[in-house]
Amino acid sequence: MSFRKDWIERWAEYAPIKVAVSDAETGDSLTYRQLNNLSNFLAKRLQTEGIQPGDRVAVLSEFRLEYIVLLGAAMKLGFIIVPINYRLSAREVCYMVNNCEPKMVISEEKFSSLIDSDELEHKPSISWDMQDLFSELSKVLGDEEFNANDIKDDDPLFIIYTSGTTGFPKGAIYSYKMAFWNAINTQIRLDITSRDHTVICMPPFHTGGWNVLLMPFLLQGGSFTLLRKFDATTVLNLLEDEEATLFMGVPTMLKMMADDESFSEVSLESVRYFIVGGEAMPLPLIELWESKGVPIRQGFGLTEAGPNIYSLHHDDAMRKIGSIGTPNFFVDVKLMKQDGKEAKDEEEGELWLNGPVVTPGYWNNDEATKDAFTDGWFRTGDILVRDEEGYYYVKDRIKNMFISGGENVYPAEVEKLLQTHPSIQEVAVIGVPDDRWGEVGKAIVVGRSATLTQDDILDFCAGKLAKFKIPKHVELVNEIPKTESGKIDRKKLKSFVNT
């Protein structure tokens, strides 16, 4: 039984004049009928260029209407979209292009230099500027028809490259089956209907840009507005003016929005809740948004699965502070200890996942695929704990853990405590070499007050953490390095090891 279907075509039949997607920068929008017609046209046009099912089309572009039309064409013709991170170096971009070997590349002019490099070994046979795509679509005047190809559930829709913390990224295969079941899981947990509207400001090279809300909204016939870049003032005003019902962001975004002058000027009465992912949100920030009348709904997922794997109902946001909630409907989870036994309540274990929302593997990387699975279960590398009520908590990544005097220390646990210090704005903890203990903790701290000292921080930890978990070193800084998605950049934190 196939669950793929043509979502856009169906909604073009059910609600043809309903606006599906808008572009905040241009003010242009597309109804479901228009989106379907343009997608049909583009599928035919690309077919004449020689694009066939399974071909990769690499894209270096911010979110815009044409990108959504390209998605619609992919769902009809069967080619694979490879969203490329345009914020990376030419060397990193060329690695991805060489790895996925696209037949076609579509790029905004401002990003074209990233693939004009001697390191590009694979030369795509077709290259379009995004303006070419715009020009082609402008030719469409009436209804367009296209007989969709027979696309299977396990066929890839995307190849999404993970940022990784070491080495080059891996291209996670994101199938049609994953897209469907992730959308169903999301609809069930978030009560999404065709009446919902959101603003998408996560970048398209991140799974959160496509799969947290955009794809689930397309399946449910909702509507969304695309924002090229995150801007706190713009997002707040769009949420208010367009009467958005849901919004997804990372804690860094929500903090910037809370600090913005427009925060006090908008009511956000239409918003049911915000969905937060990427990392745990500090309690004071949750309380601030709660006081605004916007409940916070924590979630958890990863590029290779979901990404909507766990959800904490907003009614539990305060009672279960720090929890990612419970597993979504169609996903199987278990926590595995190092001794190969399944963890019980209150025991730490690595999260293993199974089900239709899990990637079949990594593109052109059999070794990484083999290493990621055991007996059909995907090993995430995340350490979690389940409490007696069945709520889960992320302790840390296995790779972030360091060992001090024979004891495992998870930086996230220490960071969570330090985030409650009233004079600490941001904090990251890493393990650094120590002659006596092998490794000890080092806290990199952005303070709210110029009077904050190392002793203040260490005194705050005393009695709240085991002695071996308390950082031995503290470095006060103006800024902690972040990735494009707003997470702490663990790779760049290594520069603090010897400072």
Side-chain angles (χ1 to χ4, degrees):
M1 182 178 183
S2 173
F3 298 97
R4 190 198 65 80
K5 304 304 180 187
D6 188 335
W7 305 355
I8 294 172
E9 182 180 59
R10 289 298 174 92
W11 281 107
E13 297 170 355
Y14 297 161
I17 63 173
K18 178 183 177 179
V19 171
V21 54
S22 304
D23 188 318
E25 184 168 310
T26 65
D28 296 329
S29 62
L30 295 173
T31 65
Y32 272 102
R33 173 184 285 167
Q34 291 170 327
L35 178 57
N36 188 57
N37 286 339
L38 291 175
S39 299
N40 283 335
F41 172 85
L42 184 58
K44 286 193 295 186
R45 180 68 180 85
L46 293 179
Q47 193 173 52
T48 63
E49 287 279 350
I51 300 298
Q52 300 175 5
D55 286 340
R56 277 76 65 204
V57 175
V59 187
L60 289 94
S61 173
E62 297 168 333
F63 262 139
R64 50 197 303 154
L65 295 186
E66 293 85 357
Y67 214 154
I68 308 304
V69 175
L70 186 69
L71 169 67
M75 297 179 78
K76 296 170 186 291
L77 182 52
F79 60 85
I80 305 168
I81 296 177
V82 187
I84 300 292
N85 186 345
Y86 43 77
R87 296 174 184 168
L88 296 177
S89 67
R91 173 174 170 269
E92 294 167 307
V93 168
C94 287
Y95 171 83
M96 296 179 185
V97 175
N98 291 333
N99 178 255
C100 70
E101 298 182 327
K103 180 178 284 189
M104 181 179 194
V105 62
I106 301 174
S107 174
E108 290 189 54
E109 184 178 1
K110 60 185 176 182
F111 303 133
S112 59
S113 62
L114 292 172
I115 51 174
D116 184 17
S117 169
D118 294 336
E119 296 195 45
L120 187 64
E121 299 171 1
H122 174 84
K123 303 289 185 182
S125 58
I126 311 168
S127 295
W128 280 10
D129 186 277
M130 186 57 78
Q131 185 61 39
D132 296 331
L133 180 54
F134 176 81
S135 299
E136 289 291 333
L137 296 178
S138 67
K139 300 174 184 178
V140 180
L141 298 177
D143 289 343
E144 297 282 344
E145 299 292 335
F146 182 82
N147 293 322
N149 285 327
D150 182 20
I151 301 171
K152 308 299 184 184
D153 292 342
D154 290 325
D155 289 342
L157 172 58
F158 299 107
I159 297 173
I160 302 177
Y161 282 87
T162 62
S163 57
T165 55
T166 59
F168 282 106
K170 300 186 292 288
I173 298 170
Y174 198 91
S175 67
Y176 284 88
K177 180 168 65 176
M178 291 174 68
F180 174 81
W181 287 108
N182 177 71
I184 293 298
N185 276 339
T186 308
Q187 184 272 327
I188 291 173
R189 293 305 296 271
L190 301 184
D191 298 323
I192 296 173
T193 74
S194 60
R195 295 183 294 277
D196 280 312
H197 177 76
T198 190
V199 174
I200 304 290
C201 59
M202 296 291 287
F205 53 78
H206 190 285
T207 187
W210 291 105
N211 299 309
V212 171
L213 288 180
L214 193 156
M215 292 294 288
F217 268 51
L218 277 181
L219 180 62
Q220 295 298 324
S223 60
F224 50 93
T225 295
L226 301 172
L227 195 60
R228 308 281 172 88
K229 297 178 182 178
F230 172 76
D231 176 80
T233 304
T234 303
V235 170
L236 285 167
N237 289 331
L238 283 172
L239 293 174
E240 178 80 357
D241 296 343
E242 298 184 353
E243 298 184 346
T245 54
L246 301 175
F247 175 72
M248 183 271 172
V250 298
T252 302
M253 291 179 178
L254 268 61
K255 183 181 185 309
M256 294 173 68
M257 292 163 65
D259 291 341
D260 193 84
E261 291 182 358
S262 298
F263 180 75
S264 60
E265 300 172 0
V266 296
S267 67
L268 304 181
E269 291 181 354
S270 61
V271 175
R272 298 208 304 274
Y273 40 78
F274 283 176
I275 300 98
V276 178
E279 55 191 340
M281 189 157 157
L283 175 59
L285 191 55
I286 293 178
E287 292 174 333
L288 180 59
W289 280 102
E290 289 273 358
S291 69
K292 181 74 173 175
V294 178
I296 299 299
R297 188 154 184 152
Q298 301 261 29
F300 175 84
L302 55 157
T303 302
E304 294 92 339
N308 302 328
I309 297 297
Y310 283 86
S311 183
L312 177 69
H313 196 281
H314 47 282
D315 289 346
D316 288 326
M318 303 301 292
R319 185 176 74 90
K320 290 290 185 179
I321 181 68
S323 173
I324 56 173
T326 54
N328 284 339
F329 210 89
F330 295 103
V331 61
D332 296 321
V333 308
K334 61 181 178 180
L335 305 185
M336 298 301 294
K337 299 190 295 183
Q338 291 181 344
D339 61 8
K341 296 180 180 179
E342 193 165 346
K344 300 177 182 178
D345 290 349
E346 307 300 344
E347 290 184 340
E348 296 175 354
E350 181 186 8
L351 174 64
W352 288 20
L353 299 171
N354 201 349
V357 293
V358 176
T359 181
Y362 298 104
W363 185 266
N364 197 21
N365 196 334
D366 292 339
E367 182 178 354
T369 299
K370 182 180 178 181
D371 290 344
F373 288 88
T374 295
D375 298 329
W377 289 80
F378 182 83
R379 303 192 309 274
T380 68
D382 294 299
I383 300 298
L384 273 64
V385 169
R386 179 184 59 249
D387 70 15
E388 68 283 354
E389 294 184 65
Y391 288 77
Y392 288 72
Y393 298 77
V394 178
K395 300 295 288 186
D396 211 338
R397 295 283 296 170
I398 288 178
K399 64 184 67 176
N400 294 337
M401 182 196 79
F402 61 91
I403 300 175
S404 184
E407 298 284 356
N408 293 347
V409 181
Y410 296 104
E413 180 183 5
V414 184
E415 291 165 358
K416 189 177 296 184
L417 171 68
L418 290 175
Q419 285 170 348
T420 64
H421 191 296
S423 295
I424 291 179
Q425 180 171 320
E426 286 187 301
V427 60
V429 174
I430 58 174
V432 298
D434 184 80
D435 291 338
R436 182 177 182 184
W437 302 109
E439 287 183 294
V440 294
K442 180 176 183 178
I444 298 99
V445 176
V446 178
R448 298 181 185 277
S449 167
T451 62
L452 181 67
T453 67
Q454 174 174 325
D455 288 341
D456 293 334
I457 294 169
L458 299 181
D459 289 344
F460 181 77
C461 293
K464 300 183 180 73
L465 289 172
K467 289 185 178 180
F468 68 88
K469 296 180 182 180
I470 297 175
K472 185 176 181 180
H473 308 285
V474 175
E475 183 171 347
L476 295 166
V477 299
N478 294 323
E479 185 178 15
I480 292 175
K482 302 284 200 322
T483 65
E484 297 86 358
S485 58
K487 298 180 184 179
I488 293 173
D489 192 326
R490 298 286 171 179
K491 187 188 298 184
K492 292 183 178 178
L493 282 182
K494 292 179 180 178
S495 64
F496 290 92
V497 169
N498 298 314
T499 58

